[in-house]
Amino acid sequence: MTQAILTLNAGSSSLKLALYPLTGDRPMATGLVDAIGPAAAFHLKGPFGQDMPTVAGDLSTHEAALQTVVASLRGTHPDLTLLCIGHRVLHGGDHFSAPVTVTEEILALLDPLAAFAPLHQPHNLAGIRAAMAAFPGVPQVACFDTAFHRHHPWVNDAFALPRAFHDQGVRRYGFHGLSYDHVATALRQIAPQLTEGRVVVAHLGNGASMCALQDGRSIASTMGFTALDGLPMGTRCGQIDPGVLLYLMQHRGMSADEISDMLYRRSGLLGLSGLSSDMRTLEAAGTPEARQAIDYFVSCAQREVGAMAAALGGIDALVFCGGIGENSRLIRERICERLGWMGIEIDHARNGENATVISSDFARTMVMIIPTNEELVIARAARAALGLGERSVA
């Protein structure tokens, strides 16, 4: 019998998965169902990145896709028994500062948070409900992107609005917490001298944010009430003067739904370039608009590194992760080139090789690349739910 843990990350039109053994960090399989619906595609890979066979099943809905995923996993692991299913959930609100075993009562607390995260929360919870229906009796563990940030100082948690709004949940939550959790854990192994240090982590991808780590704990984040704030992203705007939104409503006649669609789906790198939300495409395009989009992204990133260092009272290390952070030599180089005043100096050869440490030997501040692994964080939480240790689960 192959006993295993399944991790699921349900997006609006995708389902990302990993199958983990009860011990060890290497997944037995990873997969992605993309563009769920009539044109969906499902790819499954083995522990060493090799392609694995999939069954020709229904991929029209999240529920159907999950059934097809499990049927494929049972085809490659005929004696598979799932002991726990772990889920990424974007928003845990004020309720949760750690992973939790899901019940109907828990779901009732999470449902209203869809108003805070309309593009993510409904699909995250739909994935949980689909898994509960498909595997009755199998524990489902929710792991929250907001949980890692729930111990911020009050000044890094509040907006300067009437206090009643803060008490009603209008506050900074921060996101990408599973990614930052993984980086904090990896730092203890890779660079233990930084465990008690001041570290800025830059999670740069289609979604982008930064986090200030002190003693391995988040004390500040560039993201706030929603996953729109801070850095510009693939299609999201990042920081914006709220007066712009009032102007668009009052003088341009845009509705709340139209503004929401623009901010979440038509802004960021896509909106600035008029070409693509993908940094790789923009780097290759060479058009004036693509260059300006990159310039804006880099400038905002430099500013936010400074803001996070200010929150820490200094900086000992800068860590890049996420799709752009892990893979774009150009963006890392551009961000670091004006941060010499912070003791940041990269070694261009190391940067070109995507080495773990890319700072020069003479730099006062270490610069690193640590590939993120949100699935492993979820798997470890699921193991804890089974009584196998690693982290507490309520």
Side-chain angles (χ1 to χ4, degrees):
M1 179 185 299
T2 302
Q3 296 180 321
I5 291 164
L6 180 65
T7 70
L8 296 176
N9 183 347
S12 60
S13 60
S14 64
L15 186 65
K16 188 176 181 181
L17 64 114
L19 186 69
Y20 278 89
L22 299 187
T23 60
D25 292 348
R26 186 187 296 276
M28 301 155 63
T30 58
L32 174 67
V33 183
D34 197 21
I36 289 175
F42 175 30
H43 302 284
L44 189 66
K45 293 187 178 295
F48 301 101
Q50 73 274 25
D51 290 330
M52 299 181 72
T54 60
V55 302
D58 185 1
L59 301 174
S60 60
T61 66
H62 284 80
E63 293 80 2
L66 178 59
Q67 296 286 356
T68 300
V69 163
V70 172
S72 298
L73 290 173
R74 285 182 170 148
T76 56
H77 303 82
D79 56 350
L80 178 64
T81 298
L82 293 179
L83 296 188
C84 188
I85 302 176
H87 301 263
R88 178 200 178 200
V89 179
L90 188 81
H91 219 304
D94 294 331
H95 307 298
F96 304 108
S97 58
V100 63
T101 301
V102 178
T103 63
E104 289 297 335
E105 291 75 18
I106 296 293
L107 288 173
L109 292 173
L110 296 176
D111 276 326
L113 298 176
F116 296 0
L119 292 192
H120 300 85
Q121 194 82 354
H123 305 293
N124 298 158
L125 301 186
I128 293 177
R129 288 190 166 99
M132 291 174 74
F135 301 97
V138 174
Q140 312 284 330
V141 174
C143 302
F144 305 100
D145 262 328
T146 52
F148 190 69
H149 305 290
R150 291 283 29 89
H151 305 289
H152 284 179
W154 185 85
V155 294
N156 294 338
D157 193 42
F159 295 109
L161 295 171
R163 294 186 71 99
F165 288 105
H166 183 273
D167 297 338
Q168 295 164 13
V170 181
R171 60 182 66 181
R172 291 186 175 275
Y173 289 100
F175 298 92
H176 294 134
L178 300 181
S179 175
Y180 295 129
D181 190 337
H182 174 76
V183 170
T185 300
L187 273 174
R188 287 195 288 270
Q189 301 169 342
I190 298 171
Q193 74 275 18
L194 294 174
T195 299
E196 298 179 2
R198 300 161 299 182
V199 180
V200 175
V201 185
H203 176 107
L204 307 181
N206 189 54
S209 70
M210 292 189 190
C211 176
L213 294 181
Q214 177 77 60
D215 298 331
R217 292 162 62 93
S218 171
I219 68 161
S221 170
T222 59
M223 278 186 169
F225 179 64
T226 70
L228 279 173
D229 202 6
L231 294 168
M233 299 166 239
T235 63
R236 285 173 264 170
C237 63
Q239 184 274 331
I240 188 170
D241 180 346
V244 172
L245 309 183
L246 294 174
Y247 166 79
L248 295 176
M249 294 177 68
Q250 295 169 348
H251 299 284
R252 299 295 293 271
M254 292 183 69
S255 69
D257 287 343
E258 289 171 329
I259 291 175
S260 177
D261 178 69
M262 179 188 70
L263 297 180
Y264 277 104
R265 297 184 176 90
R266 297 189 289 112
S267 298
L269 295 175
L270 174 63
L272 289 171
S273 70
L275 176 64
S276 175
S277 63
D278 193 314
M279 184 63 78
R280 294 167 296 187
T281 301
L282 299 184
E283 288 184 22
T287 65
E289 295 81 6
R291 287 194 295 270
Q292 286 181 332
I294 293 173
D295 289 345
Y296 184 82
F297 183 89
V298 167
S299 177
C300 291
Q302 291 167 335
R303 182 184 66 208
E304 296 295 351
V305 172
M308 293 296 100
L312 289 165
I315 183 172
D316 299 307
L318 171 64
V319 178
F320 289 100
C321 65
I324 296 172
E326 294 168 25
N327 297 297
S328 177
R329 172 196 59 80
L330 173 65
I331 297 302
R332 293 192 302 264
E333 178 182 305
R334 291 280 312 275
I335 290 172
C336 291
E337 66 186 359
R338 295 187 62 192
L339 298 179
W341 60 275
M342 302 175 70
I344 289 175
E345 177 185 337
I346 64 170
D347 181 298
H348 295 287
R350 293 172 182 171
N351 185 45
E353 296 167 357
N354 285 355
T356 298
V357 177
I358 62 171
S359 48
S360 75
D361 293 334
F362 307 102
R364 186 175 76 251
T365 300
M366 185 177 291
V367 183
M368 305 176 70
I369 304 169
I370 299 180
T372 195
N373 193 335
E374 296 164 323
E375 286 70 32
L376 180 57
V377 174
I378 298 170
R380 287 171 173 167
R383 289 169 183 163
L386 295 174
L388 302 177
E390 300 202 53
R391 71 176 57 243
S392 62
V393 178

